[in-house]
Amino acid sequence: MIVRLAREQDFSGFLGLATQVEHWFGPMVEDAGFHSAVDEHIRRSTALVAVSSGSDLLGGLLFGAKAPIYHVHWLVVSEKHRGKGAGRALMAEATRRFVRGPGSIEVVTFGADHPGAVAGGARVFYESLGFVPAEATDPGPEGGSRQIYRRAVT
């Protein structure tokens, strides 16, 4: 697996990943705002992808690289590659490439009562990386609860 900056030709791969999580996050594939966010992150060099040796897109990350509070805007690993290190590799590369302490990294993920909290494994994933649950935030577009997770960086 290789983690690298996303390129324009990776756009369709981001849409492919989005189709796999729309049931949790609401419509994205046809959403102009999502398209703009992906394009903007690619242009700013704040989008990363994990690719296989065969160049299949294993995962993608859109990162907010502004100190002192950094943001994981979007992180998705393909269903068939979850639990195999792609998400961890994307986060490690984002931290190495973009984060300068002191500060914190924040991500909005499912609230504890959201079905995706268990099925998607996001909360356990972020906790394994040292993130801790923080305050609740606005519900997602599908109406499900959301919570901020935060990790301090030095």
Side-chain angles (χ1 to χ4, degrees), residues 95-128:
T95 301
R96 183 193 72 74
R97 188 181 286 266
F98 304 124
V99 176
R100 302 291 174 263
S104 64
I105 305 171
E106 294 185 354
V107 61
V108 174
T109 192
F110 304 117
D113 64 338
H114 191 288
V118 175
R123 291 171 67 94
V124 169
F125 169 73
Y126 289 115
E127 288 171 9
S128 77

Side-chain angles (χ1 to χ4, degrees), residues 61-100:
L61 170 69
L62 306 178
F63 199 78
K66 292 184 180 174
I69 302 173
Y70 303 90
H71 295 273
V72 177
H73 291 154
W74 195 76
L75 170 60
V76 174
V77 173
S78 74
E79 290 172 347
K80 66 181 181 178
H81 293 98
R82 290 185 191 143
K84 298 179 182 176
R88 188 172 292 278
L90 284 162
M91 285 299 298
E93 181 62 15
T95 301
R96 183 193 72 74
R97 188 181 286 266
F98 304 124
V99 176
R100 302 291 174 263

Side-chain angles (χ1 to χ4, degrees), residues 18-33:
T19 63
Q20 297 180 30
V21 296
E22 282 187 317
H23 59 287
W24 288 329
F25 296 111
M28 291 181 282
V29 175
E30 301 297 326
D31 182 70

Side-chain angles (χ1 to χ4, degrees), residues 2-7 10-11 13-14 17 37-38 40-51 57-65 71-77 86-99:
I2 298 166
V3 176
R4 60 166 171 76
L5 287 173
R7 305 173 187 138
D10 295 316
F11 181 82
F14 276 93
L17 291 170
V38 173
E40 183 176 315
H41 279 81
I42 290 172
R43 279 195 316 275
R44 289 185 177 172
S45 296
T46 56
L48 299 173
V49 292
V51 294
L57 199 65
L58 309 178
L61 170 69
L62 306 178
F63 199 78
H71 295 273
V72 177
H73 291 154
W74 195 76
L75 170 60
V76 174
V77 173
R88 188 172 292 278
L90 284 162
M91 285 299 298
E93 181 62 15
T95 301
R96 183 193 72 74
R97 188 181 286 266
F98 304 124
V99 176

